[in-house]
Amino acid sequence: MIAPWKIRLFWTQLILAAILICVRVLDRPEPGFNFLPPLPKKIDYGREEAIRRTFYEVCFNHGIRVDWISGDSQNKIVRIPIDLPMVDLYMAMAARFREAGGQLVKTETDPQGYRMALAVGVDDQLLMQVTMRSDFSLARVAGRIAIVIDDFGYTFNSLIQDFLDLEYNVTFSIIPGLKHSVRIADAATERQRSVMMHLPMEPKNGKIDRDEFVLLTGMSEKEIRERVRLAVKAVPHIKGLNNHMGSLATEDEALLSIMMDEVKKTGLFFLDSRTDANTRAYASAQKLKIPTAINDVFLDAIREEPFIRQQLNLVAEIAARNGTAVAIGHPEELTLKVLQEELPILVRKGFSFVNVSDVVK
């Protein structure tokens, strides 16, 4: 007779064997879905994640919307809008994949340039293929941004020259009557920059030079008109003007009414710098049907690099929402540095940088 403990041992071993067989069967890949070769034992998942993240960063930094991207995790199809050179995206993606530690397994282009593809791998294993296809029904419409740099005229040095050398459009707003006002206006015009006059107006707080140009509350109509005419003549090549300071003067409807009537005679546009929340200048210009715009954002009210970058991103958000936006900055090194670094990125996203005269209404 077989001992009971031997019978229990037999059944225990039989059950364990059945469990092991089931595990091996379930672990096999489903037929027809094993597209890529098996993962290597030592794949670097950090680089894999970095490459996938890089793909989306490059797309979004070139103004590619998420609904223009299709496919699965291994095969990405990107529709390219008509206003984006496909080769720009292709070259940027190839370079960034290499920086992330990926290997370009293959690249393809068609002779007409309507389709480009590249495949990236990690540790000799294909990770992802990106196919770019032209789609003439798409266009990036990110928005137009007008950037004004105020307070020119005090000096002409290498910093001023660097602003003149900026690759993208900025408008130079020049205070009348300063030592270098005319020279900067001439230099900006030679560089095909738009020029404005930065008209001094009375603030609520803070010192302002009481020279022959500044508009003060309580002035007579004759004096206001004479000062506007004198200021306009003091800066050559101007297309428009905006207020320098003026938080008090831009609330004075009597002063503004006379000033705007004189501005209308010149044919210039007016930009309300909005140095005070209660400004009436924009409404006053509109009332007389003067081409006008209003400042949306001061870029460098706090002269710290992270703040200036955030303000520039805010301007881009406003332009994306409304179609246009205006920002005002000052001839400071940090402002210049941020503009040099961020404007090319915004251009790749589809934003355009225009003169203030292009956005006045």
Side-chain angles (χ1 to χ4, degrees), residues 246-262:
S247 54
L248 182 62
T250 57
E251 292 184 6
D252 188 325
E253 293 189 2
L255 183 153
L256 289 172
S257 177
I258 299 166
M259 170 196 148
M260 292 300 176
D261 184 62
E262 200 61 40

PDB file of all heavy atoms in Angstrom, residues 246-262:
ATOM      1  N   GLY A 246       4.498 109.483 -17.918  1.00  0.00           N
ATOM      2  CA  GLY A 246       3.169 110.014 -18.237  1.00  0.00           C
ATOM      3  C   GLY A 246       2.003 109.430 -17.481  1.00  0.00           C
ATOM      4  O   GLY A 246       0.857 109.576 -17.914  1.00  0.00           O
ATOM      5  N   SER A 247       2.253 108.786 -16.351  1.00  0.00           N
ATOM      6  CA  SER A 247       1.130 108.179 -15.630  1.00  0.00           C
ATOM      7  C   SER A 247       0.098 109.217 -15.188  1.00  0.00           C
ATOM      8  O   SER A 247      -1.097 108.913 -15.103  1.00  0.00           O
ATOM      9  CB  SER A 247       1.645 107.403 -14.410  1.00  0.00           C
ATOM     10  OG  SER A 247       2.458 108.246 -13.593  1.00  0.00           O
ATOM     11  N   LEU A 248       0.544 110.456 -14.935  1.00  0.00           N
ATOM     12  CA  LEU A 248      -0.397 111.514 -14.584  1.00  0.00           C
ATOM     13  C   LEU A 248      -0.991 112.148 -15.838  1.00  0.00           C
ATOM     14  O   LEU A 248      -2.213 112.338 -15.935  1.00  0.00           O
ATOM     15  CB  LEU A 248       0.298 112.587 -13.728  1.00  0.00           C
ATOM     16  CG  LEU A 248      -0.585 113.737 -13.241  1.00  0.00           C
ATOM     17  CD1 LEU A 248      -1.704 113.212 -12.335  1.00  0.00           C
ATOM     18  CD2 LEU A 248       0.248 114.778 -12.488  1.00  0.00           C
ATOM     19  N   ALA A 249      -0.150 112.450 -16.801  1.00  0.00           N
ATOM     20  CA  ALA A 249      -0.613 113.151 -18.002  1.00  0.00           C
ATOM     21  C   ALA A 249      -1.583 112.317 -18.821  1.00  0.00           C
ATOM     22  O   ALA A 249      -2.516 112.849 -19.436  1.00  0.00           O
ATOM     23  CB  ALA A 249       0.582 113.553 -18.862  1.00  0.00           C
ATOM     24  N   THR A 250      -1.397 111.005 -18.837  1.00  0.00           N
ATOM     25  CA  THR A 250      -2.282 110.158 -19.653  1.00  0.00           C
ATOM     26  C   THR A 250      -3.646 109.936 -19.006  1.00  0.00           C
ATOM     27  O   THR A 250      -4.503 109.274 -19.587  1.00  0.00           O
ATOM     28  CB  THR A 250      -1.630 108.794 -19.954  1.00  0.00           C
ATOM     29  OG1 THR A 250      -1.283 108.143 -18.721  1.00  0.00           O
ATOM     30  CG2 THR A 250      -0.392 108.955 -20.829  1.00  0.00           C
ATOM     31  N   GLU A 251      -3.865 110.490 -17.808  1.00  0.00           N
ATOM     32  CA  GLU A 251      -5.189 110.482 -17.193  1.00  0.00           C
ATOM     33  C   GLU A 251      -5.899 111.819 -17.377  1.00  0.00           C
ATOM     34  O   GLU A 251      -7.075 111.948 -17.024  1.00  0.00           O
ATOM     35  CB  GLU A 251      -5.080 110.165 -15.694  1.00  0.00           C
ATOM     36  CG  GLU A 251      -4.644 108.747 -15.396  1.00  0.00           C
ATOM     37  CD  GLU A 251      -4.649 108.453 -13.905  1.00  0.00           C
ATOM     38  OE1 GLU A 251      -5.105 109.337 -13.131  1.00  0.00           O
ATOM     39  OE2 GLU A 251      -4.214 107.365 -13.504  1.00  0.00           O
ATOM     40  N   ASP A 252      -5.171 112.793 -17.924  1.00  0.00           N
ATOM     41  CA  ASP A 252      -5.717 114.152 -18.068  1.00  0.00           C
ATOM     42  C   ASP A 252      -6.360 114.287 -19.447  1.00  0.00           C
ATOM     43  O   ASP A 252      -5.676 114.484 -20.456  1.00  0.00           O
ATOM     44  CB  ASP A 252      -4.581 115.161 -17.895  1.00  0.00           C
ATOM     45  CG  ASP A 252      -5.077 116.600 -17.831  1.00  0.00           C
ATOM     46  OD1 ASP A 252      -6.060 116.913 -18.527  1.00  0.00           O
ATOM     47  OD2 ASP A 252      -4.459 117.397 -17.106  1.00  0.00           O
ATOM     48  N   GLU A 253      -7.686 114.199 -19.490  1.00  0.00           N
ATOM     49  CA  GLU A 253      -8.380 114.195 -20.775  1.00  0.00           C
ATOM     50  C   GLU A 253      -8.258 115.526 -21.503  1.00  0.00           C
ATOM     51  O   GLU A 253      -8.252 115.572 -22.737  1.00  0.00           O
ATOM     52  CB  GLU A 253      -9.846 113.815 -20.567  1.00  0.00           C
ATOM     53  CG  GLU A 253     -10.008 112.367 -20.116  1.00  0.00           C
ATOM     54  CD  GLU A 253     -11.457 111.914 -20.119  1.00  0.00           C
ATOM     55  OE1 GLU A 253     -12.327 112.720 -20.499  1.00  0.00           O
ATOM     56  OE2 GLU A 253     -11.703 110.750 -19.743  1.00  0.00           O
ATOM     57  N   ALA A 254      -8.152 116.618 -20.769  1.00  0.00           N
ATOM     58  CA  ALA A 254      -8.010 117.927 -21.405  1.00  0.00           C
ATOM     59  C   ALA A 254      -6.672 118.011 -22.141  1.00  0.00           C
ATOM     60  O   ALA A 254      -6.610 118.442 -23.303  1.00  0.00           O
ATOM     61  CB  ALA A 254      -8.119 119.036 -20.360  1.00  0.00           C
ATOM     62  N   LEU A 255      -5.616 117.590 -21.485  1.00  0.00           N
ATOM     63  CA  LEU A 255      -4.290 117.593 -22.110  1.00  0.00           C
ATOM     64  C   LEU A 255      -4.271 116.655 -23.314  1.00  0.00           C
ATOM     65  O   LEU A 255      -3.757 116.993 -24.386  1.00  0.00           O
ATOM     66  CB  LEU A 255      -3.228 117.195 -21.086  1.00  0.00           C
ATOM     67  CG  LEU A 255      -1.763 117.195 -21.523  1.00  0.00           C
ATOM     68  CD1 LEU A 255      -0.850 117.426 -20.330  1.00  0.00           C
ATOM     69  CD2 LEU A 255      -1.353 115.884 -22.213  1.00  0.00           C
ATOM     70  N   LEU A 256      -4.826 115.469 -23.128  1.00  0.00           N
ATOM     71  CA  LEU A 256      -4.804 114.462 -24.192  1.00  0.00           C
ATOM     72  C   LEU A 256      -5.579 114.916 -25.417  1.00  0.00           C
ATOM     73  O   LEU A 256      -5.164 114.662 -26.555  1.00  0.00           O
ATOM     74  CB  LEU A 256      -5.390 113.138 -23.672  1.00  0.00           C
ATOM     75  CG  LEU A 256      -4.541 112.371 -22.659  1.00  0.00           C
ATOM     76  CD1 LEU A 256      -5.338 111.195 -22.102  1.00  0.00           C
ATOM     77  CD2 LEU A 256      -3.243 111.874 -23.294  1.00  0.00           C
ATOM     78  N   SER A 257      -6.687 115.571 -25.208  1.00  0.00           N
ATOM     79  CA  SER A 257      -7.502 116.016 -26.334  1.00  0.00           C
ATOM     80  C   SER A 257      -6.722 116.976 -27.228  1.00  0.00           C
ATOM     81  O   SER A 257      -6.743 116.861 -28.460  1.00  0.00           O
ATOM     82  CB  SER A 257      -8.771 116.691 -25.813  1.00  0.00           C
ATOM     83  OG  SER A 257      -9.544 117.188 -26.884  1.00  0.00           O
ATOM     84  N   ILE A 258      -5.994 117.908 -26.617  1.00  0.00           N
ATOM     85  CA  ILE A 258      -5.181 118.860 -27.393  1.00  0.00           C
ATOM     86  C   ILE A 258      -3.999 118.155 -28.042  1.00  0.00           C
ATOM     87  O   ILE A 258      -3.701 118.352 -29.237  1.00  0.00           O
ATOM     88  CB  ILE A 258      -4.690 119.996 -26.472  1.00  0.00           C
ATOM     89  CG1 ILE A 258      -5.875 120.754 -25.880  1.00  0.00           C
ATOM     90  CG2 ILE A 258      -3.767 120.940 -27.240  1.00  0.00           C
ATOM     91  CD1 ILE A 258      -5.507 121.654 -24.706  1.00  0.00           C
ATOM     92  N   MET A 259      -3.326 117.317 -27.273  1.00  0.00           N
ATOM     93  CA  MET A 259      -2.164 116.601 -27.782  1.00  0.00           C
ATOM     94  C   MET A 259      -2.535 115.733 -28.973  1.00  0.00           C
ATOM     95  O   MET A 259      -1.861 115.739 -30.019  1.00  0.00           O
ATOM     96  CB  MET A 259      -1.570 115.735 -26.681  1.00  0.00           C
ATOM     97  CG  MET A 259      -0.513 114.754 -27.137  1.00  0.00           C
ATOM     98  SD  MET A 259      -0.209 113.484 -25.895  1.00  0.00           S
ATOM     99  CE  MET A 259       0.217 112.100 -26.933  1.00  0.00           C
ATOM    100  N   MET A 260      -3.615 114.954 -28.860  1.00  0.00           N
ATOM    101  CA  MET A 260      -4.007 114.042 -29.933  1.00  0.00           C
ATOM    102  C   MET A 260      -4.467 114.803 -31.183  1.00  0.00           C
ATOM    103  O   MET A 260      -4.227 114.342 -32.304  1.00  0.00           O
ATOM    104  CB  MET A 260      -5.112 113.103 -29.454  1.00  0.00           C
ATOM    105  CG  MET A 260      -4.665 112.101 -28.407  1.00  0.00           C
ATOM    106  SD  MET A 260      -3.343 111.005 -28.972  1.00  0.00           S
ATOM    107  CE  MET A 260      -3.046 110.087 -27.453  1.00  0.00           C
ATOM    108  N   ASP A 261      -5.067 115.954 -30.986  1.00  0.00           N
ATOM    109  CA  ASP A 261      -5.456 116.755 -32.150  1.00  0.00           C
ATOM    110  C   ASP A 261      -4.221 117.189 -32.930  1.00  0.00           C
ATOM    111  O   ASP A 261      -4.218 117.184 -34.167  1.00  0.00           O
ATOM    112  CB  ASP A 261      -6.251 117.976 -31.691  1.00  0.00           C
ATOM    113  CG  ASP A 261      -6.762 118.797 -32.867  1.00  0.00           C
ATOM    114  OD1 ASP A 261      -7.562 118.253 -33.659  1.00  0.00           O
ATOM    115  OD2 ASP A 261      -6.338 119.959 -33.005  1.00  0.00           O
ATOM    116  N   GLU A 262      -3.161 117.513 -32.205  1.00  0.00           N
ATOM    117  CA  GLU A 262      -1.908 117.906 -32.864  1.00  0.00           C
ATOM    118  C   GLU A 262      -1.237 116.693 -33.510  1.00  0.00           C
ATOM    119  O   GLU A 262      -0.686 116.788 -34.608  1.00  0.00           O
ATOM    120  CB  GLU A 262      -0.970 118.552 -31.847  1.00  0.00           C
ATOM    121  CG  GLU A 262       0.126 119.406 -32.446  1.00  0.00           C
ATOM    122  CD  GLU A 262      -0.403 120.579 -33.257  1.00  0.00           C
ATOM    123  OE1 GLU A 262      -1.403 121.211 -32.839  1.00  0.00           O
ATOM    124  OE2 GLU A 262       0.182 120.827 -34.330  1.00  0.00           O
TER     125      GLU A 262
END
